[in-house]
């Protein structure tokens, strides 16, 4: 059901936007949104979803968007993009950047990468490496070479409530989880965020566990 899917995805986007706002340090008021279109196919061409997303952003989060990075957009996205452009505010349009997945191949030598330049311009080194690993994981799944990345907000909230965010690292064996992220540099990749991000969740649990309204 297209309308149901659009409603569900927009709800999840709203939750992510709220988390982003709550996690912003003083002086930071905008975010960078990266949309990776790897695996995007004809069945994903959904104007209703795209318009719902634009309305959500414009109505509830005006001026929050710093930049929108569109990564690895396939040719079939062009008709949808041409359909949406008239509905996009000119200021927002200037913030949209299309980027190729032009990372250097292992052993292929050095070359100028538009993607790496954009990421290094906008993010610190830890976040850049986290984003690159996420891209690698997703591409492993879409090519049938790896498992599907799972993002479970209930699991994240439970880990933050218990103070054991190390349990979010799939590399840990049962019984090895701790309550500190001091050693997470050796724990592998966590889909829920960088070490710095997980530490911020522990310091400010309301980022992922909103206060109940009374």
């Amino acid at each position: 059901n297209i309308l149901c899917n659009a409603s569900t995805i927009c709800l999840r986007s709203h939750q992510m936007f709220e988390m982003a706002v709550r996690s912003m340090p003083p002086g930071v008021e905008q975010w960078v949104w990266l949309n990776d279109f790897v695996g995007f196919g004809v069945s994903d061409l959904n104007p209703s979803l795209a318009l719902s997303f634009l309305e959500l952003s414009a109505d509830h989060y005006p001026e929050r968007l710093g930049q929108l990075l569109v990564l690895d957009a396939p040719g079939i996205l062009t008709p949808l993009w041409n359909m949406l452009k008239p509905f996009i505010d000119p200021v927002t349009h200037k913030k949209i950047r299309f980027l190729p997945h032009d990372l250097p191949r292992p052993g292929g030598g050095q070359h100028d990468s538009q993607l790496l330049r954009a990421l290094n311009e906008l993010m610190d080194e830890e976040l850049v490496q986290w984003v690159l690993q996420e891209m690698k994981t997703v591409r492993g799944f879409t090519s049938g070479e790896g498992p599907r990345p799972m993002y479970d907000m209930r699991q994240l909230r439970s880990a933050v409530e218990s103070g054991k965010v190390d349990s979010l690292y799939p590399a840990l064996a049962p019984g090895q989880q701790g309550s500190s992220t001091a050693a997470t540099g050796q724990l592998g990749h966590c889909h829920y965020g960088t070490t710095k991000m997980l530490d911020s969740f522990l310091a400010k649990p309301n980022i992922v566990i909103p206060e109940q309204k009374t």
Side-chain angles (χ1 to χ4, degrees):
N1 184 294
I2 291 178
L3 292 179
C4 178
N5 289 340
S7 176
T8 300
I9 293 174
C10 283
L11 175 60
R12 291 175 180 172
S13 297
H14 175 68
Q15 293 172 339
M16 293 299 101
F17 288 162
E18 286 298 309
M19 282 182 59
V21 172
R22 290 193 294 268
S23 64
M24 287 178 176
V28 175
E29 297 182 351
Q30 294 184 317
W31 55 54
V32 175
W33 188 259
L34 192 155
N35 280 327
D36 190 350
F37 279 85
V38 62
F40 189 90
V42 175
S43 61
D44 301 306
L45 289 170
N46 187 340
S48 174
L49 172 58
L51 287 173
S52 296
F53 180 81
L54 289 174
E55 290 173 358
L56 170 67
S57 302
D59 293 344
H60 299 283
Y61 303 98
E63 306 306 323
R64 284 292 188 186
L65 180 66
Q67 288 198 40
L68 171 60
L69 307 182
V70 180
L71 173 64
D72 215 3
I76 60 171
L77 185 66
T78 302
L80 179 61
W81 171 243
N82 289 335
M83 183 185 301
L84 294 175
K85 279 194 292 187
F87 299 96
I88 300 176
D89 181 82
V91 175
T92 301
H93 189 280
K94 293 179 181 179
K95 299 177 180 181
I96 301 174
R97 298 170 64 177
F98 286 82
L99 296 170
H101 187 264
D102 61 348
L103 298 176
R105 294 180 179 274
Q110 298 293 322
H111 77 276
D112 186 37
S113 166
Q114 295 182 53
L115 174 58
L116 283 179
R117 277 193 283 116
L119 295 181
N120 286 318
E121 171 191 328
L122 299 167
M123 307 172 186
D124 62 32
E125 179 62 20
E126 183 187 19
L127 185 53
V128 168
Q129 294 305 315
W130 182 85
V131 168
L132 293 177
Q133 184 59 46
E134 284 290 287
M135 292 178 187
K136 181 178 179 180
T137 301
V138 172
R139 279 161 179 75
F141 167 70
T142 57
S143 65
E145 299 175 359
R148 181 187 185 94
M150 301 301 293
Y151 307 90
D152 187 337
M153 284 302 300
R154 289 174 297 182
Q155 182 184 19
L156 175 58
R157 287 168 179 159
S158 176
V160 171
E161 284 182 321
S162 66
K164 296 181 178 180
V165 294
D166 289 358
S167 64
L168 299 171
Y169 285 80
L172 285 179
Q176 290 184 326
Q177 290 87 357
S179 59
S180 169
T181 59
T184 49
Q186 288 74 46
L187 300 182
H189 179 74
C190 176
H191 293 304
Y192 293 95
T194 64
T195 301
K196 184 186 300 182
M197 190 178 300
L198 296 179
D199 283 339
S200 72
F201 294 163
L202 288 178
K204 296 176 61 179
N206 68 302
I207 292 176
V208 295
I209 308 171
E211 296 179 1
Q212 298 295 321
K213 295 182 180 180
T214 58

